[in-house]
Amino acid sequence: MTARRFVRQTVLPELGEGGQQKLGESSVLIVGCGALGSHTAEILARAGVGRLVLVDRDVVEESNLHRVSLFTPEDVGRPKAEAAADHLRRVTPDGRIASHIAHLGVDLAEELVPQVRIVLDGLDNLDTRYLVNDVCVKHGVPWIYTAVLATYGMTMPVLPGNGPCLRCLFPVPPTPGAVPTCAEAGILGPVPAALAALQAASAIRILVGTPELGAGKLVHLDLWTGRAEATTVDRAPSCPCCGARRFEFLAHPPRTTALCGDSVQIVPRRGGAVDVQDLAARLGPLGQARVAHGVLVAEIEGALLTVFPDGRAIVKGVSDPNRAQALYDQYVAR
Ligand SMILES: [Zn+2]
């Protein structure tokens, strides 16, 4: 990449040539490649971050296109991590981009987090955020919590050893159904773009070596009313994660995760690989079943099952994890 490409940001005293070099030497993990994650990834790829690692478990849907600038209608049905990586390679031909079509479970988080300088939030569920919080605090890797819903969003850097963690802010996850999802409450297209910009700016500031400015700062932004608030969150002395270093979400990961909308993810027991072509042939007589982009999509008993070669499945049209697990056990992992 030529220095000319970055001249408008190296002229900033906050970055300079030294900051640009640090960005080029940095690895960043982005968990989730929906609107929030892919906007964040694009900003950081254009800013000259040396290596981006993308993780996403789902495929692009038509209902994503109103808010995701990286995807086109041709990407519908493709795994998001793969589609995002392909587009980003065109943005930065000599940037290093790795993609994982996978759920960020304990094993993958333990493998990837220690390899990067920072972890960024593109997630649509709290279970995985609490796992990210545990793994990042355990390994001393900064991460940025960012969430969006309806017309607003919020973001807060977590800097292990300096300020609060996610569990200082929200000690326990809300009970299922207590917080509306994007499918229920909707999402205004510019909201993830705005929060991705805030998150990416915090990431650049941390990567070039001035993290202390953001420690404990929670920014809440409503794009409809234009209201922005910044509050300082204190570290909770009784926090089980950053206080007692008890990593409960690492120790007891759930097998099912309720996702945004009426959908549930099922993670197989170890060694759950599935031959999606065989499965399509088996499920074909029961309803619509087809394989596209290496992923099986089948309509069964009013639910839409998306099954990945690693044995993971996302069951849509079902909000009860037990019913989703039952469908999975009956049709996928017999
Ligand atoms: Zn904490």
Side-chain angles (χ1 to χ4, degrees), residues 133 137 163-169 235-236 239-243:
N133 190 61
V137 171
C165 78
L166 182 68
R167 294 196 73 183
C168 296
L169 179 63
R235 207 165 160 185
C239 177
C241 179
C242 70

Side-chain angles (χ1 to χ4, degrees), residues 138-316:
K138 178 181 169 190
H139 292 284
V141 174
W143 79 282
I144 302 180
Y145 159 69
T146 307
V148 294
L149 186 71
T151 62
Y152 61 91
M154 62 183 103
T155 181
M156 184 185 84
V158 172
L159 308 167
N162 180 10
C165 78
L166 182 68
R167 294 196 73 183
C168 296
L169 179 63
F170 303 124
V172 291
T175 52
V179 179
T181 65
C182 287
E184 294 158 0
I187 180 85
L188 186 68
V191 170
L195 270 294
L198 286 177
Q199 155 164 265
S202 291
I204 290 170
R205 193 187 61 238
I206 292 165
L207 291 172
V208 303
T210 41
E212 60 286 350
L213 291 175
K217 188 169 281 183
L218 175 71
V219 175
H220 188 284
L221 180 63
D222 189 314
L223 265 77
W224 199 255
T225 61
R227 187 176 170 152
E229 281 175 296
T231 50
T232 301
V233 178
D234 290 326
R235 207 165 160 185
S238 60
C239 177
C241 179
C242 70
R245 296 188 66 79
R246 225 172 41 243
F247 304 118
E248 295 165 349
F249 294 84
L250 258 173
H252 307 289
R255 273 197 71 210
T256 60
T257 307
L259 305 178
C260 187
D262 280 346
S263 53
V264 175
Q265 173 180 252
I266 316 281
V267 179
R269 294 175 186 88
R270 269 172 210 281
V274 164
D275 183 323
V276 290
Q277 296 289 358
D278 273 7
L279 186 60
R282 187 149 60 78
L283 297 181
L286 304 171
Q288 297 274 341
R290 65 188 172 83
V291 175
H293 308 294
V295 177
L296 168 82
V297 180
E299 272 184 65
I300 290 177
E301 296 188 23
L304 191 69
L305 269 71
T306 305
V307 183
F308 296 82
D310 62 2
R312 211 165 35 80
I314 294 175
V315 184
K316 291 178 179 158

Side-chain angles (χ1 to χ4, degrees), residues 17-247:
E17 298 287 346
Q20 190 64 48
Q21 190 175 342
K22 285 179 185 163
L23 291 183
E25 292 163 358
S26 294
S27 282
V28 174
L29 170 61
I30 298 176
V31 189
C33 293
L36 185 59
S38 60
H39 274 299
T40 305
E42 184 177 350
I43 294 168
L44 293 180
R46 288 184 189 278
V49 165
R51 181 165 178 267
L52 290 174
V53 183
L54 311 177
V55 179
D56 193 285
R57 56 190 168 198
D58 208 350
V59 297
V60 179
E61 292 178 69
E62 197 179 0
S63 65
N64 303 144
L65 296 177
H66 84 109
R67 62 188 185 279
V68 189
S69 61
L70 213 49
F71 299 148
T72 64
E74 289 72 43
D75 293 316
V76 171
R78 292 184 77 193
K80 286 179 183 170
E82 182 188 289
D86 279 352
H87 288 292
L88 291 171
R89 287 185 192 111
R90 285 201 281 278
V91 170
T92 56
D94 49 359
R96 287 168 294 152
I97 314 239
S99 60
H100 297 262
I101 305 165
H103 166 64
L104 189 85
V106 170
D107 292 347
L108 190 58
E110 284 276 20
E111 179 192 333
L112 296 179
V113 168
Q115 298 176 18
V116 298
R117 287 273 320 276
I118 193 166
V119 180
L120 301 180
D121 192 340
L123 288 161
D124 64 356
N125 71 89
L126 270 167
D127 286 345
T128 311
R129 286 194 178 102
Y130 280 95
L131 174 67
V132 167
N133 190 61
D134 270 7
V135 179
C136 285
V137 171
K138 178 181 169 190
H139 292 284
V141 174
W143 79 282
I144 302 180
Y145 159 69
T146 307
V148 294
L149 186 71
T151 62
Y152 61 91
M154 62 183 103
T155 181
M156 184 185 84
V158 172
L159 308 167
N162 180 10
C165 78
L166 182 68
R167 294 196 73 183
C168 296
L169 179 63
F170 303 124
V172 291
T175 52
V179 179
T181 65
C182 287
E184 294 158 0
I187 180 85
L188 186 68
V191 170
L195 270 294
L198 286 177
Q199 155 164 265
S202 291
I204 290 170
R205 193 187 61 238
I206 292 165
L207 291 172
V208 303
T210 41
E212 60 286 350
L213 291 175
K217 188 169 281 183
L218 175 71
V219 175
H220 188 284
L221 180 63
D222 189 314
L223 265 77
W224 199 255
T225 61
R227 187 176 170 152
E229 281 175 296
T231 50
T232 301
V233 178
D234 290 326
R235 207 165 160 185
S238 60
C239 177
C241 179
C242 70
R245 296 188 66 79
R246 225 172 41 243
F247 304 118

